[in-house]
Amino acid sequence: MPQTDSATTTAPPPARPSSRPWAVVLTACAGQFVVVLDVSVVNVALPSMRADLGLSAAGLQWVISAYAIAFAGFMLLGGRAADLYGRKAMFLLGLGLFTAASVAGGLAQEGWQLVAGRAVQGLGAAVLSPATLTLVTGAVTAGPARTRAIATWTAVGAAGGAAGGFVGGLLVDLLSWRWVLLVNVPVGVLVLAGAVLWLRESRTGSGRRLDLPGAVLVTAGLATLAYGIVQTEEAGWTDPGTLLTLLGGLALLGVFVAVEARTAAPLMPLKLFRTRAVSAANVGILLCGSSSFGMWFFMTTYAQSVLGYTPLQAGLALVPSSLSVIVGSKLAPRLMPVVGARNLAVAGALVGAAGFAWQSTMTADGSFLRTILGPGILMMAGIGLATTPLATLATSSAAPGDAGLVSGLVNTSRTMGGALGLAVLSTLATAVTGPAGGPAALTSGFAAAFRVSTAVLVGAALLMLLWLPKRGPKAQSQPC
């Protein structure tokens, strides 16, 4: 890729930090919160959607899957578009598309209309989400302040996924299932207004063209792979159709790598992966995401199907876990200068693993304190402590012209990790549960999933210890 370096170095210098950096951070984080919230907010509304629109079981699954597939499939394309066409422009476009699709989904009269609305929501989220992290890193001067801003972005994103059950349960109980989508409209309008007022346009890809073949291949590959992962929950991993879909997605991604190695201005410069911090941090984020996404799903199901909680009670029961991931994310910038980014990421993964191991001792007659509160706080505090240094290492190692792309890669790693982890763990839990499906059987399946998550996080800690650079960027070592 001889011409790739020159394309990057001829890009104009990044914009100066904003005069109102925390207004930019607030706006960008609000956008990120909304799109991550919608990954999980519809879960508790699914029974009401099915009754109102007459959805089949497969149709109900697609209400979730359409969003996840579009979100993961278009993320890298959204990240590169932010670099080439402007971060503010892509933020406004993505949020506008997401808000309009929320209206369409919330007013749907047929099942296919709801699924189509969710798919367009996912597309808007894929355009918006990479721009949020790039706006955050560009608004704040490099150093401890930027690390704190990234911690805020991490905490808000994690809290969005965590709050989905509570927000969804509250809206369904007080209003109707339509409001889990329509609530995005007033929020979206407010964030759009803030974006117009506070965000300043920046782009670093002047003179470069979008790599259309690469964009088509990676989007098709990721979307196909995400579709295959989603299908495993219904058809299983050994189903021929599932295997062909997964292999097809991997083949498309293989062709994408071959094309990127030969094109002059690639969508994904492969040289990015020669940077240890970028490669190792993204693998770490993928593994942490594979555990944490499954945690919210299993704990919500356990609380309702085993302990007999209502949707709202289940959401409230997980509020302490939501707060702990925020505390962990916000505590990370204070600890990074003391222990180092790599060591903190490793320690966070191990703390999370301890929480998952504790959760794997759950019983069908478990108490709130022992089977939800204690392990939940430990699990999510560990994830918060690990994710902030990983995101900081990945984004601080990127050239200015690749900032949006690396932000998209971080988001893609987290989203694909969550989708893959949830599919694998759900399949495992179902196999252990068996046909009985009673409270004790369900608990056994969930416990097995938490044991596997424990092993994944221990493996992630070992991988990060051996692979991440011992020293992060110099700015990280400055005192807060």
Side-chain angles (χ1 to χ4, degrees), residues 190-214:
L190 286 175
V191 178
L192 280 169
V196 171
L197 290 173
W198 293 325
L199 299 186
R200 186 169 56 189
E201 188 57 277
S202 66
R203 60 174 62 86
T204 54
S206 179
R208 298 181 64 176
R209 294 183 178 180
L210 184 65
D211 172 23
L212 189 58

Side-chain angles (χ1 to χ4, degrees), residues 156-472:
V156 167
F166 169 67
V167 174
L170 189 65
L171 291 172
V172 172
D173 279 0
L174 297 181
L175 298 170
S176 77
W177 69 262
R178 297 184 182 276
W179 280 97
V180 302
L181 300 174
L182 293 177
V183 72
N184 294 324
V185 179
V187 176
V189 170
L190 286 175
V191 178
L192 280 169
V196 171
L197 290 173
W198 293 325
L199 299 186
R200 186 169 56 189
E201 188 57 277
S202 66
R203 60 174 62 86
T204 54
S206 179
R208 298 181 64 176
R209 294 183 178 180
L210 184 65
D211 172 23
L212 189 58
V216 171
L217 284 168
V218 73
T219 300
L222 286 174
T224 303
L225 189 61
Y227 174 78
I229 291 169
V230 167
Q231 287 296 98
T232 61
E233 296 188 35
E234 181 177 347
W237 289 90
T238 58
D239 179 76
T242 300
L243 290 174
L244 285 175
T245 304
L246 292 172
L247 291 174
L250 292 174
L252 286 169
L253 293 177
V255 176
F256 165 72
V257 171
V259 168
E260 297 304 279
R262 291 168 174 77
T263 190
L267 175 72
M268 170 62 76
L270 299 183
K271 65 182 178 65
L272 284 178
F273 295 102
R274 298 173 193 161
T275 305
R276 287 174 59 192
V278 173
S279 298
N282 274 282
V283 173
I285 288 170
L286 184 145
L287 293 175
C288 289
S290 70
S291 299
S292 61
F293 275 51
M295 176 269 183
W296 299 119
F297 173 79
F298 290 122
M299 289 308 298
T300 302
T301 307
Y302 171 71
Q304 293 183 74
S305 300
V306 177
L307 300 184
Y309 289 16
T310 67
L312 181 57
Q313 288 173 332
L316 288 171
L318 295 177
V319 166
S321 302
S322 305
L323 295 176
S324 70
V325 74
I326 295 173
V327 171
S329 299
K330 296 299 289 181
L331 186 61
R334 298 182 180 275
L335 297 176
M336 285 169 61
V338 179
V339 302
R342 182 193 69 163
N343 293 337
L344 183 59
V346 171
L350 291 176
V351 169
F356 277 89
W358 182 0
Q359 190 65 72
S360 70
T361 64
M362 61 203 302
T363 60
D365 59 349
S367 65
F368 168 72
L369 293 177
R370 185 172 60 85
T371 58
I372 294 182
L373 181 64
I377 289 175
L378 204 57
M379 283 187 286
M380 299 319 296
I383 294 296
L385 287 171
T387 306
T388 295
L390 290 173
T392 302
L393 285 169
T395 55
S396 61
S397 302
D402 295 324
L405 179 61
V406 172
S407 298
L409 186 60
V410 167
N411 277 292
T412 301
S413 297
R414 182 163 59 178
T415 304
M416 289 300 293
L420 177 61
L422 183 56
V424 173
L425 295 173
S426 295
T427 302
L428 170 68
T430 301
V432 173
T433 297
L442 284 172
T443 303
S444 297
F446 297 157
F450 282 110
R451 285 193 292 272
V452 172
S453 293
T454 303
V456 168
L457 286 177
V458 171
L462 179 60
L463 180 146
M464 291 186 286
L465 181 65
L466 298 176
W467 193 3
L468 282 173
K470 293 183 179 179
R471 294 184 179 180

